[in-house]
Amino acid sequence: MMIDLSGERIFSLAPKKPTNLDEVRALFSAGELQMLEIEETAKAYAIKLKGYLGRKAFAAISDTVKLAGGHYFSAGKASKFIIPKEQQPE
């Protein structure tokens, strides 16, 4: 049996871009949420780490953020993950 991942079905495997704070929280497990601070700004969702996670946990969170359209912003103690909000046409 062969699985076809060339069409639209592959996009249903990735998380959709979150549209509110609850959807951002839903991207992570209960254990991960205990290690994260999630804030909403006018243009993005910011996810800060409460402490050192270890390489595997950091990679898992990073992968989830990337699939949701976000990235990691490295700035020392101010480092955070950022998931931009959809920009509304003006």
Side-chain angles (χ1 to χ4, degrees):
M1 184 166 122
M2 192 157 78
I3 299 172
D4 178 21
L5 295 177
S6 61
E8 291 291 319
R9 294 187 67 177
I10 193 167
F11 294 107
S12 67
L13 300 175
K16 294 181 180 164
K17 192 164 189 130
T19 58
N20 61 50
L21 209 50
D22 289 333
E23 289 181 8
V24 174
R25 287 188 181 104
L27 295 172
F28 304 101
S29 69
E32 290 171 335
L33 285 172
Q34 291 178 356
M35 298 300 297
L36 304 173
E37 288 180 25
I38 302 173
E39 300 174 346
E40 183 176 8
T41 67
K43 294 185 179 184
Y45 302 100
I47 303 162
K48 298 177 185 176
L49 306 176
K50 290 182 179 178
Y52 179 73
L53 299 180
R55 190 176 0 181
K56 285 185 179 181
F58 182 88
I61 290 170
S62 180
D63 289 345
T64 300
V65 169
K66 286 179 186 175
L67 286 171
H71 63 279
Y72 183 68
F73 177 74
S74 181
K77 290 191 182 244
S79 295
K80 58 189 153 198
F81 292 97
I82 297 173
I83 302 175
K85 290 183 177 180
E86 291 287 336
Q87 297 300 317
Q88 300 296 327
E90 293 181 21

